[in-house]
Amino acid sequence: MTDESPASGRPRGLLPDLTPWRTSRDFRLMWTAGVITTFGSFLTLVALPVQLKELTGSAAAVGAIGAVELVPLIVFGLYGGALADAMDRKLLINATEAAQGLLAAALLVNSLLPHPAVWLLYLVAALSSALTGLQRPALDAIVQRIVPRDQFAAAASLNALRYQVGAIAGPSLAGLVIAWAGTGWAYGADAVTFAVSVCLGLGLARSPAAHDAAPPSLRGIAEGARYAWSRKELLGTYVIDLAAMFFAYPAAIFPFLADDLHAPWSLGLMYAAGSVGSLLVSLTSGWAVRVHRHGLMVVLAATGWGAAMACTGLTGNIWLVLLCLAAAGGLDMISGIGRSTMWNQTIPDSLRGRLAGIELLSYAVGPQLGQVRSGAVAALASARTSVWSGGVACVAAVGLLAASLPALTRYDARRVPQAVPAADLSAAREAPAA
């Protein structure tokens, strides 16, 4: 339980605020389903590059996963945001979850063949990316409807905790499963977790679109983009996270980094280390509800993420590498809590899905591009060079972007009493940045 102040009702200690879990049945269902499906997804996240490495032996081929996932994520992320504003969000979430389960089953079947097809791995990666683009905006947008505004920061922390529980257990177990039983078992377990998640998702209350919601269209997507551009503090959260992930997300080359460090046994721990750091932040996130300068929080955390990744590449000791990765994961989680809170505080429900589509591009496209960058640099130089150089570039990029978008560091939730109504879009666009 969280120690709460009688006067404010806000937690005084470090433990997470459990109010959204206690008061919202739909939040509990989404949280539980998320833990289960995240666990399975991380099994595949580890198994797919390992299988590609075994089949091709090429760092560039493994890094190319990010390239084939990129275009579907951009296109369907934007369209998924428009869909989330135009249809029942519960239906959209469950339909895409079921489709992801079918893709995991396809990977299982392919892994059982005498000669697994490399092209199928890329095809499934692309289709899974498209489904993520369709689903994620609805998952993000539905939070505004199932918890009240004063619980947004607590909900962001609990959702982060949910993600990290699966993100730690999944990669940790994946290393053992793949080593002892092969990638097929990882894919099969992933398919089962999607089935369980769908069953839980069916219990969610309907979340229909507004009666006057327009059908998905390029015009509607453009309206969301104009709103994002008009709010420079929001724009800052997008571009800083995009830069941080592009320059300093080396997950695709972890199999090669483990080999360089003569520690192939550490691969699963490398994938899990960042999540361990994130989990520690989530478990001590009671402080987050007392933060008001969320923009500054994002900038400082993103800078720390880059510095931690630079240290990861510069050290040759596997235990220090794991420690640096854990530190990076914790800093990334702090940034994520700040971004999520800002988004829910400032974006009206009528635009929430479309803006969630844009947010998806910032925090998901960056890692895809980052995999391509890290794979290419590792192929030209070495895995360690790829990691430390990306971390240094990240620190420099975040500093330049923060200086270019002062509205982000000046953001103060105490001066943002409610989301700007969609009807005020034109006025917001013409107003000077605050």
Side-chain angles (χ1 to χ4, degrees), residues 163-264:
Y163 176 84
Q164 298 310 327
V165 169
I168 292 171
S172 299
L173 183 60
L176 297 175
V177 169
I178 294 169
W180 291 99
T183 56
W185 282 88
Y187 297 142
D190 190 15
V192 171
T193 62
F194 278 118
V196 175
S197 180
V198 170
C199 291
L200 290 171
L202 292 175
L204 292 171
R206 293 183 65 245
S207 184
H211 69 280
D212 58 348
S217 65
L218 291 176
R219 181 177 180 179
I221 294 172
E223 181 184 7
R226 287 196 300 272
Y227 182 86
W229 183 262
S230 73
R231 304 297 301 271
K232 300 306 181 187
E233 68 277 30
L234 292 180
L235 183 63
T237 66
Y238 303 150
V239 296
I240 281 184
D241 190 53
L242 183 65
M245 294 297 104
F246 171 72
F247 287 113
Y249 187 81
I253 61 169
F254 280 170
F256 300 91
L257 182 61
D259 287 346
D260 282 358
L261 296 171
H262 307 291

Side-chain angles (χ1 to χ4, degrees), residues 372-384:
V372 177
R373 185 212 66 83
S374 63
V377 175
L380 293 173
S382 69
R384 290 179 60 187

Side-chain angles (χ1 to χ4, degrees), residues 69-142:
E69 291 174 338
L70 180 58
V71 173
L73 191 62
I74 293 173
V75 174
F76 289 93
L78 293 172
Y79 185 67
L83 276 179
D85 286 335
M87 67 176 289
D88 190 310
R89 291 170 183 171
K90 169 190 172 181
L91 176 61
L92 181 55
I93 291 169
N94 287 329
T96 49
E97 195 82 346
Q100 290 278 28
L102 294 176
L103 291 181
L107 288 174
L108 168 60
V109 172
N110 183 59
S111 70
L112 297 176
L113 297 176
H115 302 286
V118 171
W119 65 265
L120 183 64
L121 300 182
Y122 288 116
L123 175 62
V124 170
L127 292 175
S128 179
S129 181
L131 289 170
T132 298
L134 290 174
Q135 182 192 70
R136 189 58 184 263
L139 281 172
D140 290 343
I142 204 171

Side-chain angles (χ1 to χ4, degrees), residues 76-423:
F76 289 93
L78 293 172
Y79 185 67
L83 276 179
D85 286 335
M87 67 176 289
D88 190 310
R89 291 170 183 171
K90 169 190 172 181
L91 176 61
L92 181 55
I93 291 169
N94 287 329
T96 49
E97 195 82 346
Q100 290 278 28
L102 294 176
L103 291 181
L107 288 174
L108 168 60
V109 172
N110 183 59
S111 70
L112 297 176
L113 297 176
H115 302 286
V118 171
W119 65 265
L120 183 64
L121 300 182
Y122 288 116
L123 175 62
V124 170
L127 292 175
S128 179
S129 181
L131 289 170
T132 298
L134 290 174
Q135 182 192 70
R136 189 58 184 263
L139 281 172
D140 290 343
I142 204 171
V143 172
Q144 277 191 338
R145 295 184 177 181
I146 61 178
V147 298
R149 185 180 188 275
D150 62 354
Q151 295 177 22
F152 285 162
S157 297
L158 290 176
N159 279 335
L161 176 61
R162 171 204 73 189
Y163 176 84
Q164 298 310 327
V165 169
I168 292 171
S172 299
L173 183 60
L176 297 175
V177 169
I178 294 169
W180 291 99
T183 56
W185 282 88
Y187 297 142
D190 190 15
V192 171
T193 62
F194 278 118
V196 175
S197 180
V198 170
C199 291
L200 290 171
L202 292 175
L204 292 171
R206 293 183 65 245
S207 184
H211 69 280
D212 58 348
S217 65
L218 291 176
R219 181 177 180 179
I221 294 172
E223 181 184 7
R226 287 196 300 272
Y227 182 86
W229 183 262
S230 73
R231 304 297 301 271
K232 300 306 181 187
E233 68 277 30
L234 292 180
L235 183 63
T237 66
Y238 303 150
V239 296
I240 281 184
D241 190 53
L242 183 65
M245 294 297 104
F246 171 72
F247 287 113
Y249 187 81
I253 61 169
F254 280 170
F256 300 91
L257 182 61
D259 287 346
D260 282 358
L261 296 171
H262 307 291
W265 52 268
S266 69
L267 178 59
L269 295 178
M270 284 187 181
Y271 281 106
S275 298
V276 170
S278 297
L279 179 63
L280 291 176
V281 169
S282 299
L283 289 174
T284 57
S285 60
W287 56 268
V289 300
R290 299 189 294 274
V291 173
H292 305 291
R293 300 286 300 279
H294 298 103
L296 183 60
M297 174 180 173
V298 169
V299 170
L300 294 177
T303 301
W305 155 270
M309 281 300 181
C311 292
T312 298
L314 290 171
T315 181
N317 182 286
I318 182 58
W319 298 108
L320 289 178
V321 165
L322 295 174
L323 180 62
C324 290
L325 288 173
L331 290 160
D332 185 47
M333 184 50 56
I334 293 173
S335 175
I337 293 172
R339 296 193 311 271
S340 180
T341 303
M342 285 180 64
W343 296 339
N344 283 324
Q345 285 176 342
T346 58
I347 301 170
D349 182 72
S350 60
L351 287 170
R352 191 65 188 91
R354 279 165 284 179
L355 269 293
I358 294 174
E359 291 150 16
L360 174 66
L361 300 188
S362 75
Y363 61 70
V365 170
Q368 308 309 323
L369 291 173
Q371 291 188 80
V372 177
R373 185 212 66 83
S374 63
V377 175
L380 293 173
S382 69
R384 290 179 60 187
T385 299
S386 176
V387 176
W388 72 255
S389 64
V392 171
C394 169
V395 172
V398 170
L400 289 173
L401 289 169
S404 302
L405 294 166
L408 175 63
T409 53
R410 291 202 301 261
Y411 179 87
D412 191 325
R414 292 166 293 190
R415 296 199 290 267
V416 186
Q418 61 183 7
V420 176

